[in-house]
Amino acid sequence: MLNRWTSGKSAVATRHWRHSAVVAFAAMAALAAPTADAAAKPARRAQPVETTAPREAGEPIMAIVSLKSQQVTLYDAEGWILRAPVSTGVRERETPAGVFAIVEKNKDHRSNMYDDASMPNMQRITWNGLALHGGPLPGYAASHGCVRMPFGFAEKLFDKTRIGMRVIISPDDAAPADFSHPTLALFTPNAETIATAPAKAETLAREAANAAAAADEARKIAATTARDSAPLAASLRKLERIKTRADADLFAADKAVAAARTDQARAKAEDRRQKAAAKAAELGTRFDAAKAEASSKLDAASAAKEAAKTAQTKKADIARAALDAKLAIEPVSIYVSRATRTLYVRRNTHKPAPDGGGEVFDATIEVPVTIRDPGKPFGTHVFTAVARNDAGLRWTAVTIENADDAKNALDRITMPKEVLDRIAPTALPRSSIIVSDEPLSEETNYRTEFVAVLNDQPQGGFITRKPSEVLMADDNGWGNGSQQDDGFGFLFQRNPNPQPSNARRGGGRGLW
């Protein structure tokens, strides 16, 4: 009986243990389930937040916008200084990835494309309407192509940047990294050249102003003498025509005398010849006297015309030298395009654009460049001189499209010696070299630095905007006297070989 009770008790205990074990396992499974589900789902990306580096910041050198992270980061010579979330373009209005620079700033801009929408602290990067500005940030891409920033951040940033500051829009996260290369080492500033550059620029600027004044005076003198001599020249031409007819009459009279067959006909012909000879002689004397009288004035007019041409040439030459001297103390930007096998140079003249908005960039250096393995893609890399060091300049590199790595891409380019001789001795911090497979966008013009977009990335916010209209000048400048005053009119002449547009570039639907 005891055995049966004991046995029965053991069976009950066993069933109780099994039930407890099942309950405990179920409880453990229930506790473990959320962890398993969480592991099965990808972790949500942390939202960018506005951040300031814990150090004293220098002047911003570049801004990098990450389309992937929806974040903008500002960098000075020592690293990042400011970060903030952004909102870029929605589907079919995507913010284009590429290389840009600030071309205009407007603290209280309003859109003329989107219902007069407020775009405070606007910093334009293309003239067809792409910009950085303050706006609402829902936490995802929501703009029509611009880069919206927090209102307070946009206001803070507005006062820190300058025209020409590099803006890189990257498909993925990107950041500058310290970089050295033999090609970059060629850009070694010459201390003496840099030290004397400001004084040289000032001297040449005065000479350019004097040459412009002299050319203007010579042009006025040439115009006056030409106007005064014009009646004399017209009178001489008229007298010469009359003399030519008189000579022809005399020639005909001589033939008539020779052809006469009777004494009566011969006498008549001889009388005609004598009258024609007298008239021709009289007109010849008058013509010679008038020519001698007008000769000094006509020679003076011709000399004044030549003097005006010489003065104009001298004005252009000195103006070019003055501008080169002024640009020598400006950072230089170089763009090497594998698509066009061309090297382009841009430097800011700080001259206000004559048609309003922005500043004029000098673009007079544009030369073919030698590229090894030109059929092999470069990628897109931005090299920036961020500061001086003992070797010359300290550089960083940013890669936003990595077909070939930055070193190999730079290895494949041979910089033209004439370009290096002209710009390398005065290379300054903030100078940059961009290497890309892309041609320059048609948005690159006389009042931009470089605009280049990545054609393998969506560009909806770019191609749905009307390309900017560019006012071009003729050989006489803008017609308002401004170029004649300073001799820089040649900067604005039409380029006979305009830049090719991007392959996916489309027509527009209105200005922003």
Side-chain angles (χ1 to χ4, degrees):
M1 185 69 181
L2 177 62
N3 290 340
R4 288 182 61 190
W5 180 86
T6 303
S7 177
K9 185 176 180 180
S10 298
V12 170
T14 300
R15 287 196 298 269
H16 178 74
W17 177 86
R18 286 177 178 170
H19 175 73
S20 299
V22 170
V23 170
F25 180 79
M28 291 174 64
L31 289 172
T35 302
D37 290 343
K41 295 179 180 179
R44 184 177 180 182
R45 176 184 292 272
Q47 292 296 309
V49 295
E50 189 173 334
T51 313
T52 301
R55 62 179 175 84
E56 184 176 351
E59 183 181 1
I61 291 177
M62 74 178 77
I64 301 180
V65 176
S66 169
L67 298 175
K68 177 181 179 181
S69 296
Q70 292 291 285
Q71 178 174 261
V72 61
T73 306
L74 276 292
Y75 295 87
D76 67 5
E78 303 303 323
W80 76 273
I81 52 176
L82 294 169
R83 285 196 176 107
V86 298
S87 183
T88 59
V90 298
R91 183 177 176 82
E92 298 184 355
R93 295 275 184 174
E94 299 92 349
T95 302
V99 181
F100 307 86
I102 294 173
V103 296
E104 185 187 40
K105 299 173 68 172
N106 186 341
K107 199 162 187 64
D108 301 305
H109 184 75
R110 303 192 75 87
S111 173
N112 60 11
M113 186 174 179
Y114 298 112
D115 301 323
D116 199 39
S118 176
M119 297 180 173
N121 298 293
M122 183 274 293
Q123 303 193 59
R124 186 187 298 274
I125 59 174
T126 71
W127 287 105
N128 75 349
L130 294 179
L132 315 177
H133 63 80
L137 271 66
Y140 47 84
S143 81
H144 289 90
C146 288
V147 178
R148 296 182 193 165
M149 302 179 292
F151 288 105
F153 182 87
E155 182 176 14
K156 179 167 57 177
L157 183 62
F158 188 88
D159 295 326
K160 296 181 181 296
T161 60
R162 64 165 77 175
I163 299 295
M165 189 193 81
R166 173 78 60 231
V167 177
I168 299 170
I169 301 178
S170 175
D172 300 307
D173 297 339
D178 288 341
F179 189 85
S180 60
H181 190 275
T183 295
L184 302 181
L186 298 174
F187 291 82
T188 303
N190 182 292
E192 182 179 355
T193 301
I194 291 175
T196 59
K200 181 180 179 182
E202 186 177 344
T203 299
L204 284 171
R206 286 196 301 269
E207 292 181 9
N210 293 336
D216 190 51
E217 183 63 23
R219 181 182 59 81
K220 290 178 181 177
I221 292 172
T224 300
T225 55
R227 184 171 58 251
D228 292 345
S229 64
L232 288 173
S235 177
L236 276 178
R237 287 193 298 271
K238 181 179 180 181
L239 192 56
E240 187 176 23
R241 286 195 299 269
I242 296 173
K243 178 182 177 295
T244 299
R245 286 198 297 268
D247 290 340
D249 288 345
L250 177 59
F251 181 75
D254 285 337
K255 290 181 67 177
V257 170
R261 294 292 180 264
T262 65
D263 291 341
Q264 184 180 4
R266 189 175 296 108
K268 185 176 180 181
E270 181 62 29
D271 182 61
R272 177 186 170 193
R273 189 192 70 77
Q274 289 178 3
K275 291 179 180 178
K279 185 176 181 180
E282 178 192 0
L283 287 171
T285 301
R286 286 172 57 191
F287 177 75
D288 290 342
K291 185 177 180 181
E293 183 182 353
S295 177
S296 60
K297 291 186 177 180
L298 292 175
D299 288 347
S302 178
K305 182 179 179 180
E306 288 301 315
K309 288 174 62 177
T310 300
Q312 186 65 29
T313 300
K314 182 179 179 180
K315 167 190 169 182
D317 290 344
I318 296 180
R320 177 72 261 176
L323 182 61
D324 279 345
K326 178 182 178 182
L327 294 175
I329 54 180
E330 291 293 327
V332 62
S333 294
I334 298 172
Y335 188 93
V336 178
S337 168
R338 189 178 66 87
T340 62
R341 300 187 192 181
T342 302
L343 180 148
Y344 310 89
V345 176
R346 284 282 197 280
R347 288 176 289 187
N348 194 352
T349 68
H350 299 291
K351 181 178 178 65
D355 50 343
E359 298 175 351
V360 172
F361 285 77
D362 175 68
T364 51
I365 301 178
E366 181 177 313
V367 296
V369 66
T370 301
I371 299 173
R372 180 166 50 84
D373 298 330
K376 179 182 177 182
F378 275 152
T380 296
H381 314 276
V382 182
F383 307 95
T384 305
V386 295
R388 289 187 175 92
N389 61 16
D390 294 339
L393 293 171
R394 178 164 60 85
W395 294 78
T396 64
V398 178
T399 294
I400 60 172
E401 189 178 36
N402 193 11
D404 203 350
D405 66 35
K407 178 185 180 304
N408 290 341
L410 212 50
D411 282 344
R412 292 163 52 198
I413 298 166
T414 302
M415 290 284 176
K417 184 177 184 302
E418 63 273 21
V419 173
L420 288 171
D421 290 345
R422 188 168 171 182
I423 64 178
T426 57
L428 299 171
R430 304 178 70 91
S431 295
S432 61
I433 300 173
I434 304 163
V435 175
S436 181
D437 300 309
E438 305 292 351
L440 288 175
S441 163
E442 61 186 18
E443 282 296 305
T444 301
N445 57 58
Y446 71 92
R447 54 181 183 155
T448 71
E449 200 224 44
F450 297 120
V451 179
V453 298
L454 305 187
N455 280 305
D456 61 350
Q457 298 294 322
Q459 301 174 29
F462 192 65
I463 65 176
T464 55
R465 296 167 186 268
K466 184 178 181 180
S468 59
E469 295 182 3
V470 180
L471 178 62
M472 304 299 291
D474 57 22
D475 293 338
N476 296 319
W478 295 96
N480 59 7
S482 61
Q483 270 60 58
Q484 293 175 356
D485 291 340
D486 59 19
F488 293 164
F490 58 85
L491 284 176
F492 312 112
Q493 295 174 17
R494 184 179 299 277
N495 184 350
N497 300 303
Q499 301 306 315
S501 60
N502 289 303
R504 290 175 55 185
R505 189 75 172 84
R509 297 189 179 91
L511 292 173
W512 170 86

